[in-house]
Amino acid sequence: MLHDRVVSRSYSLSSSKLSRCVLFLSLSYIFFVQMYASANRLQQVRKPGPTPGPNPCPSPEPKPGPSPRPAPTPTPPGARNTTFPAIFAFGDSIVDTGNNNYILTLVRANFLPYGMNFPHGVPTGRFCNGKIPSDFIAEFLGIKPVLPPYLRPGLTREDLLTGVSFASGGSGYDPLTPIEVRAIPMSDQLTYFQEYIEKVKGFAGKEKAEHIISKSLAIVIAGSDDLANTYYGTHTEEFLYDIDSYTSFMATSAASFAMQLYESGARKIGFIGVSPIGCIPIQRTARGGLHRKCADEVNVAAQLFNSKLSTSLHSMAETLKNATLVYIDIYSLFTHMIQNPEEYGFDEIDKGCCGTGLIELGPLCNQFTSLLCNNVSSYMFWDSYHPTERAYRILTKKFVEDDLSPFYDK
């Protein structure tokens, strides 16, 4: 993921050589990716922006509907799931379990201290100290302990039959977003999904493959990189769209992705909204002023997109036959955790555990230049962009319990 330029900093690093080295590498890396994005921007020819949507609405109202069924109880560890044959993940680094290891990209995490709390302490390409939401969903639903990346060589038939992640760190609904960091575009993730279906048909048969695809859970999460990096970071799209038009464009792209999943055979599709990304450490550093407050403008943009995404999916769900299409709100719970950290056992919510916690992520968070916090479990954020394994576990457990009940109806 690309970094925003650091426009203000309230902390001065120590005068040690190590700290100066971290600062120099951080600023050099930010300058490089900004220049790289600018070069790509000159090569892009975009179509006129979409018709502006409604005025921003920071607090989307839930749509009325029938009372939800009681939330399903997560499958006990070790028990075999009987509802979903498999799980598929699409989107960005929140659910990328290592696909970026196998492509030429700036956005990687296949080195320590990433993965230090993953089983056996192995860095796998997950942008976290341990497991991420795609793993926890698979675990909580009783499918398997972790979700492998589709591009990992040597996947077994069982790996494929029970699901994989197609996600790529740095991707987004805007086709320009992955281009700037050479991530896997959402369109290519769909191509890989269709390739996957043909593989399963090859060794399991057409009927079983179609059953697996239609009964399995497809989870999509993207949009953070579109807003934080492409729109507010490199400002690539800010010259072409106002934020209302841009979030409409994002929502339209997400709806198109949902339709293409449906046309590929998926029938249980969940879209997770964007979190309050204005409160992640790097946005606080870049836009939060001397006191590093949450960047309200970015949070409003996230809410605006979430509202449009929810509306689009709700409208689509009424037209798709034999399908369950669900919008999953993560913004509210994430905000509550930030505002009430003591309820969740967090002592630090505005800095990452890695390095200074202000700007480090990806290659800037490494074992040679970045010191680590003393107690990662007390931190909500692992690096300046991504939550810790413990924060992910809390968030994922909550929406598995509260938001997946519609998928049990079919």
Side-chain angles (χ1 to χ4, degrees), residues 233-312:
T234 62
H235 305 283
T236 307
E237 298 287 38
E238 198 170 2
F239 300 106
L240 301 176
Y241 300 94
D242 59 29
I243 191 58
D244 189 37
S245 298
Y246 188 64
T247 50
S248 293
F249 168 54
M250 289 172 59
T252 299
S253 178
S256 174
F257 190 85
M259 180 59 72
Q260 291 176 81
L261 281 177
Y262 177 81
E263 291 172 348
S264 297
R267 294 295 180 267
K268 298 183 178 184
I269 307 170
F271 276 72
I272 300 175
V274 174
S275 67
I277 54 174
C279 294
I280 64 176
I282 196 167
Q283 288 293 327
R284 289 176 180 266
T285 301
R287 298 176 176 277
L290 294 176
H291 299 289
R292 299 184 65 251
K293 296 180 179 179
C294 292
D296 291 337
E297 180 183 19
V298 182
N299 282 344
V300 170
Q303 290 177 299
L304 181 57
F305 166 69
N306 288 342
S307 179
K308 292 177 180 180
L309 176 63
S310 176
T311 299
S312 297

Side-chain angles (χ1 to χ4, degrees), residues 100-272:
N100 277 19
N101 293 351
Y102 308 102
I103 63 175
L104 181 62
T105 176
L106 298 170
V107 186
R108 290 195 180 191
N110 55 343
F111 45 83
L112 291 172
Y114 287 96
M116 59 178 281
N117 299 119
F118 195 77
H120 309 297
V122 178
T124 60
R126 290 165 171 83
F127 292 82
C128 187
N129 60 302
K131 291 184 178 182
I132 59 176
S134 39
D135 298 314
F136 285 127
I137 297 172
E139 176 187 337
F140 294 154
L141 293 179
I143 298 173
K144 51 187 174 184
V146 296
L147 195 70
Y150 177 67
L151 295 184
R152 191 184 77 192
L155 291 178
T156 66
R157 290 189 177 187
E158 180 64 16
D159 289 330
L160 295 173
L161 288 173
T162 52
V164 291
S165 171
F166 300 93
S168 174
S171 196
Y173 295 121
D174 181 349
L176 188 56
T177 298
I179 289 176
E180 294 187 332
V181 292
R182 295 187 178 181
I184 303 171
M186 300 292 284
S187 58
D188 287 359
Q189 293 180 35
L190 280 169
T191 299
Y192 283 133
F193 182 49
Q194 291 155 3
E195 178 184 275
Y196 160 88
I197 294 172
E198 293 306 312
K199 286 183 180 180
V200 176
K201 285 181 179 179
F203 64 75
K206 183 174 183 291
E207 183 176 351
K208 183 173 181 179
E210 291 178 347
H211 173 80
I212 290 173
I213 302 305
S214 64
K215 296 298 182 181
S216 297
L217 179 63
I219 290 291
V220 185
I221 178 167
S224 296
D225 293 311
D226 296 319
L227 293 173
N229 298 335
T230 306
Y231 194 83
Y232 287 111
T234 62
H235 305 283
T236 307
E237 298 287 38
E238 198 170 2
F239 300 106
L240 301 176
Y241 300 94
D242 59 29
I243 191 58
D244 189 37
S245 298
Y246 188 64
T247 50
S248 293
F249 168 54
M250 289 172 59
T252 299
S253 178
S256 174
F257 190 85
M259 180 59 72
Q260 291 176 81
L261 281 177
Y262 177 81
E263 291 172 348
S264 297
R267 294 295 180 267
K268 298 183 178 184
I269 307 170
F271 276 72
I272 300 175

Side-chain angles (χ1 to χ4, degrees), residues 18 37 56 68 78 80 83-84 87 123 160 168 180 197 211 255 258 286 321 327 332 353 381 400:
L18 178 60
R80 180 65 180 175
T83 302
F84 307 104
I87 177 175
L160 295 173
S168 174
E180 294 187 332
I197 294 172
H211 173 80
K321 183 179 179 181
Y327 166 76
S332 300
C353 173
F381 291 95
V400 166

Side-chain angles (χ1 to χ4, degrees), residues 46-58:
R46 301 304 305 275
K47 296 180 180 180
T51 302
N55 291 327
C57 177

Side-chain angles (χ1 to χ4, degrees), residues 366-398:
N366 65 76
Q367 61 182 324
F368 302 107
T369 64
S370 300
L371 301 176
L372 293 177
C373 62
N374 292 326
N375 183 10
V376 64
S377 65
S378 66
Y379 276 64
M380 186 168 176
F381 291 95
W382 163 246
D383 58 21
S384 69
Y385 201 104
H386 304 93
T388 57
E389 179 187 61
R390 183 167 174 270
Y392 273 146
R393 176 182 287 274
I394 294 171
L395 288 162
T396 309
K397 185 174 186 296
K398 185 67 174 176

